[in-house]
């Protein structure tokens, strides 16, 4: 079977075929349908996720039942690492497919074992964590310091053409604005 995770890994850091082979030995592939929950709050989860194709979001529901989009994940990317999504073995966020797609999964415990024994895999895992932290910080700063228009421009830069693929309600939620405000900003730019 073609190694579908290699391009994703190598987009983060170059690692040897031997190390990629170790990871590939642990991979399972799943197909997801638009709207399908990949994991939900309170559910046991011990997987790392590589999006081969499709778009996903992480989100939470407010006490009023509104969905708040936390992160967006495009094709050829990695969903937030397990250690950032899990508390006491259970998910603290929801992850949902926004389009049909294919996802590679790896057991997080097995991945941790490989990180201990393989320096290249350890460096890759640490870079994924660092990138996750930087993305969260960038979003926090944008929400606190940028106007809606500038947040939309940043979204377009980070996620080209995403407006053509996912519901605008998810985009507005991610940007911290209403769908009406998003519609106004889109007509102005």
């Amino acid at each position: 079977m073609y190694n579908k995770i290699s391009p994703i890994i190598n987009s983060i850091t170059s690692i040897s075929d031997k190390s990629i082979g170790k990871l590939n030995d642990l991979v399972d592939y799943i197909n997801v349908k638009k709207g399908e929950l990949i994991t939900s709050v309170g559910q046991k989860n011990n997987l790392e996720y590589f999006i081969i194709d499709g778009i996903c979001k992480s989100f939470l529901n407010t006490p009023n039942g509104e969905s708040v989009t936390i992160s967006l994940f495009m094709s050829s990317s990695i969903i937030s690492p397990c250690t950032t999504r899990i508390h006491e073995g259970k998910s603290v966020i929801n992850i949902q497919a926004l389009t049909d797609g294919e996802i590679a999964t790896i057991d997080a415990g097995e991945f941790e074992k490989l990180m201990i024994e393989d320096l290249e895999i350890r460096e890759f895992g640490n870079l994924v964590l660092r990138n996750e932290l930087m993305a969260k910080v960038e979003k926090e700063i944008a929400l606190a310091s940028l106007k809606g228009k500038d947040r939309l421009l940043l979204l377009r830069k980070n996620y080209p053409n995403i407006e053509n693929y996912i519901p605008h309600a998810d985009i507005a939620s991610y940007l911290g604005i209403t769908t009406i405000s998003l519609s106004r900003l889109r007509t102005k730019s």
Side-chain angles (χ1 to χ4, degrees), residues 5 9 15-27 48 50 105-126:
I5 64 168
I9 293 168
I15 69 174
S16 68
D17 289 342
K18 181 179 178 183
S19 293
I20 286 180
K22 291 177 187 178
L23 290 169
N24 208 38
D25 288 344
L26 301 176
V27 170
E48 301 293 356
F50 297 74
T105 65
I106 296 178
D107 180 272
E110 294 300 316
F111 182 77
E112 280 186 33
K113 288 178 189 173
L114 283 181
M115 284 182 66
I116 292 167
E117 72 181 47
D118 187 307
L119 180 61
E120 288 182 315
I121 294 172
R122 183 178 326 137
E123 288 176 359
F124 163 71
N126 288 336

Side-chain angles (χ1 to χ4, degrees), residues 59-104:
F59 72 99
L60 288 170
N61 292 316
T62 67
N64 297 337
E66 294 176 49
S67 174
V68 178
T69 302
I70 299 167
S71 298
L72 298 167
F73 307 97
M74 304 289 281
S75 294
S76 300
S77 69
I78 298 172
I79 289 179
S80 304
C82 188
T83 58
T84 67
R85 299 181 280 105
I86 304 299
H87 180 69
E88 297 179 355
K90 295 182 180 177
S91 184
V92 295
I93 60 171
N94 303 297
I95 300 172
Q96 182 179 39
L98 296 175
T99 64
D100 290 349
E102 182 181 22
I103 297 175

Side-chain angles (χ1 to χ4, degrees), residues 129-139:
L129 277 171
R130 188 176 306 129
N131 291 347
E132 175 74 6
L133 176 61
M134 291 307 297
K136 298 283 187 210
V137 169
E138 182 180 76
K139 183 180 178 198

Side-chain angles (χ1 to χ4, degrees), residues 34-45:
K34 178 180 179 177
E36 183 178 337
L37 278 175
I38 296 162
T39 188
S40 57
V41 171
Q43 177 185 15
K44 284 190 173 273
N45 186 279

Side-chain angles (χ1 to χ4, degrees), residues 7 15 29 31-33 36-37 46 48-49 52 60 65 82 96 135 138 147 150 155 158 162:
I15 69 174
Y29 292 93
N31 290 309
V32 294
K33 295 288 183 198
E36 183 178 337
L37 278 175
N46 192 34
E48 301 293 356
Y49 298 99
I52 306 303
L60 288 170
C82 188
Q96 182 179 39
E138 182 180 76
K147 292 183 178 182
D150 295 322
L155 173 97
N158 291 338
I162 195 164

